[in-house]
Amino acid sequence: MDETIRAKVESLLQQMTLSQKIGQMVQTERMVITPAEVKAFHIGSVLSGGGSCPGDNQVADWVDMNDAYWAASMEADDEHLAIPIIYGIDAIHGNNNVSGATIFPHNIGLGAANDPDLMEAIARVTAREVLATGVDWTFAPTLAVAHDPHWGRTYESYSQDSALVARYSSRFVQGLQGDLGQDGIVATVKHWVGDGGTTHGIEQGDTRISEGELRGVHMAPYLPAIDAGVLSVMVSFNSWNGDKCHGHSYLIDYVLKQQLGFQGCVISDWDGIDYTADSYFDAIAIGVNAGIDMFMVSEHWRPFIEHLSCHATHGTVSMQRIDDAVRRILYMKFACGLFDKPRPAERYWSNHESFGCQEHRDLAREAVRKSLVLLKNEDQLLPLAKDARVLVAGKNADNIGHQCGGFTVAWQGTSGNEFVVGGTSIWQGIQSLAANAVMSSADGEDADPAQHDVAIVVIGETPYAEGMGDIRDGDDVIIQAGSQINGKLKTLEPYGSSLVLEDLHPEDLATIQRIRDKGIPVVTVMVSGRPLVANSEIDASQSFVAAWLPGSEGQGVADVLFGDHAFSGKLSFSWPQTTSPVRVSDTGYEPRFPVGFGLE
Ligand code: BGC
């Protein structure tokens, strides 16, 4: 730790009372706390849960909100020390909660681009769009190494290949944090650790692997990020061999802090400690003693403060541990320059006109182009001629909400073109390049070989986030997982029960077949957060493109379909051909397309 900062931290810590220290350890949701309460309880941080936004969700609404919290946190008097609040959000593919933001492809698509320079550029632009809203902290990048496409968070993972995730991690952190002056925001690497390795790919499930595999596969991407000076790490909901990460002092206190030398702030996930014990009182001591420094508390921050005070008074949590937590929180705040920044309304980037600007969108469009993976191209049907008579069909063709996926404006994402402001749908992109393209009004029923030379059918998944994206083959999956975990399992309603696209979305194959049966060649573009078993759809199409979740700039898809740019994306996940075995590590797993595959 920088000596000047260390001195400042120690001097401030000396002045703090127990309640001021405990307040710093709390992060709660904007809906349940006012600026006056931030001051009265010395709260260290406020966040927006997915989709939680002030006012009309305009940039100015965010700046005003942050300004009010900041002003309250900086009022100094006999009872209160001026310690700037830090506001956190999930800016995981652009500043995705805010209306009009540039929405980048989700991580799975960025993995296919295999371009670390691009990652740093995306992170820098994301930081600018976050700073425009007066916010200083994002809960990104996710460094999960997803091993099972059943997992609803597969799209938050760059790759099943730990080495690729490791190549990205420090670049993304550098792009976000910059020089930690006025141009940077605090990055968070998450979720520590093993989130992508749970049995059956259950969100919040159990990762049953050896320590060697945990370190070699799931921890490895964190090392370059820690070297790059990442200021926060978020603990994971999952368990490791039955024990919850949120209560795991070996993983947090010993491995992360002592062995790897992480000096920043360890934050819990959303109410993450609540599942470690039946009683909330006990859960707090478990979490603090495991080494968590700041607690993301969705609502019950008052009981949290009361209980932690009680633990401190009775010695069930030591003052030494509380001081370690507060030191790390203050270090994060000093290191990111928060104490030197003026109020949010007066900061250089606040309300900046570059938010959602063309230059940022051009970068997102480049990322889209580089993320596309061409899986099949019979008779070199692609690229298409711009004067071809193209019929465009499929439920995801003209739907910016769907192409952005989860964590876009709302936690679970949106549908249609109304809520994501700015950008183009894939259809709009095609329309701008191909004068003779028309949109099917009836799912391809109107396909006519006399009028259409070729069809582009845009199919795939609809938005989801976290456990609501899980695919669970049956209830026994939960029963088995739950019985292995020491603590509670919080499962959400899954997305479906089969990894076969035809089972999940029969309408997609129907549209492809309807058009193909009329003798019109079909180019299928699949929008999805993961590879799925799509043999029928691939076989029925002449060309097949995996577009992942491209975000707001659908134009990037059209750029490549019509040959303005070449296909260059390579699979960062293997593409399954059967539903079992489907885990990368399973013996006998034979993918339809391996990692690295992608036609040019
Ligand atoms: C997710 C985290 C996220 C947090 C705050 C949790 O449910 O697991 O990834 O950062 O919510 O929105």
Side-chain angles (χ1 to χ4, degrees), residues 332-345:
M332 171 173 76
K333 291 185 174 185
F334 275 112
C336 75
L338 209 51
F339 282 85
D340 303 321
K341 287 186 176 180
R343 57 189 308 151

Side-chain angles (χ1 to χ4, degrees), residues 286-531:
I286 290 172
V288 181
N289 288 331
I292 299 172
D293 304 316
M294 187 183 271
F295 292 79
M296 191 188 284
V297 179
S298 68
E299 286 175 38
H300 37 257
W301 53 273
R302 284 171 194 268
F304 179 92
I305 289 172
E306 282 160 25
H307 293 336
L308 184 51
S309 308
C310 189
H311 281 301
T313 312
H314 291 96
T316 35
V317 168
S318 69
M319 272 316 295
Q320 210 184 355
R321 177 69 268 278
I322 290 179
D323 283 348
D324 173 54
V326 178
R327 257 187 206 106
R328 287 164 175 277
I329 293 162
L330 295 178
Y331 169 65
M332 171 173 76
K333 291 185 174 185
F334 275 112
C336 75
L338 209 51
F339 282 85
D340 303 321
K341 287 186 176 180
R343 57 189 308 151
E346 290 167 7
R347 293 182 191 165
Y348 176 77
W349 289 108
S350 289
N351 288 311
H352 199 272
E353 59 190 16
S354 64
F355 180 89
C357 69
Q358 196 54 49
E359 195 188 330
H360 293 182
R361 292 183 183 281
D362 288 346
L363 181 68
R365 180 171 164 182
E366 178 189 344
V368 174
R369 292 196 292 256
K370 291 182 169 171
S371 71
L372 303 177
V373 182
L374 181 61
L375 295 178
K376 180 181 180 186
N377 196 19
E378 232 169 59
D379 303 328
Q380 302 294 304
L381 180 60
L382 287 174
L384 300 174
K386 286 186 185 161
D387 59 359
R389 297 172 307 162
V390 184
L391 179 72
V392 179
K395 68 172 186 286
N396 287 343
D398 191 22
N399 200 316
I400 302 184
H402 287 193
Q403 80 200 27
C404 287
F407 282 104
T408 314
V409 184
W411 180 42
Q412 294 294 328
T414 66
S415 188
N417 293 343
E418 184 188 340
F419 302 104
V420 179
V421 174
T424 50
S425 70
I426 294 173
W427 154 244
Q428 289 161 350
I430 294 170
Q431 203 180 15
S432 78
L433 285 186
N436 299 326
V438 289
M439 182 76 193
S440 169
S441 54
D443 284 340
E445 198 79 68
D446 46 352
D448 175 357
Q451 292 179 52
H452 308 124
D453 305 320
V454 62
I456 298 173
V457 183
V458 190
I459 62 164
E461 293 184 315
T462 54
Y464 52 77
E466 301 186 34
M468 292 182 82
D470 282 1
I471 289 179
R472 251 179 260 140
D473 298 335
D475 289 346
D476 50 326
V477 165
I478 308 185
I479 296 164
Q480 188 198 334
S483 68
Q484 292 168 341
I485 293 173
N486 301 319
K488 297 184 270 181
L489 182 65
K490 181 190 154 216
T491 49
L492 298 169
E493 197 56 37
Y495 184 74
S497 58
S498 164
L499 274 181
V500 179
L501 177 59
E502 198 181 335
D503 297 339
L504 289 170
H505 291 290
E507 70 280 7
D508 289 342
L509 183 61
T511 306
I512 296 169
Q513 279 173 339
R514 210 174 281 133
I515 298 174
R516 188 206 55 180
D517 288 351
K518 294 193 179 163
I520 300 170
V522 172
V523 173
T524 296
V525 177
M526 177 165 156
V527 169
S528 71
R530 58 189 143 208

Side-chain angles (χ1 to χ4, degrees), residues 588-599:
Y589 174 53
E590 294 253 351
R592 178 156 181 164
F593 304 106
V595 167
F597 184 84
L599 301 171

Side-chain angles (χ1 to χ4, degrees), residues 118 158 208 219 367 383 475 496 512 538:
L118 180 67
Y158 296 118
R208 300 184 78 79
M219 281 183 193
D475 289 346
I512 296 169
I538 295 171

Side-chain angles (χ1 to χ4, degrees), residues 502-582:
E502 198 181 335
D503 297 339
L504 289 170
H505 291 290
E507 70 280 7
D508 289 342
L509 183 61
T511 306
I512 296 169
Q513 279 173 339
R514 210 174 281 133
I515 298 174
R516 188 206 55 180
D517 288 351
K518 294 193 179 163
I520 300 170
V522 172
V523 173
T524 296
V525 177
M526 177 165 156
V527 169
S528 71
R530 58 189 143 208
L532 290 165
V533 177
N535 298 328
S536 307
E537 295 79 359
I538 295 171
D539 294 344
S541 312
Q542 262 76 357
S543 298
F544 195 95
V545 178
W548 315 111
L549 296 170
S552 57
E553 306 313 303
Q555 184 70 55
V557 177
D559 290 344
V560 181
L561 293 179
F562 289 90
D564 281 351
H565 293 264
F567 280 97
S568 61
K570 305 285 175 217
L571 289 180
S572 62
F573 284 86
S574 50
W575 194 286
Q577 63 180 332
T578 56
T579 53
S580 178
V582 81

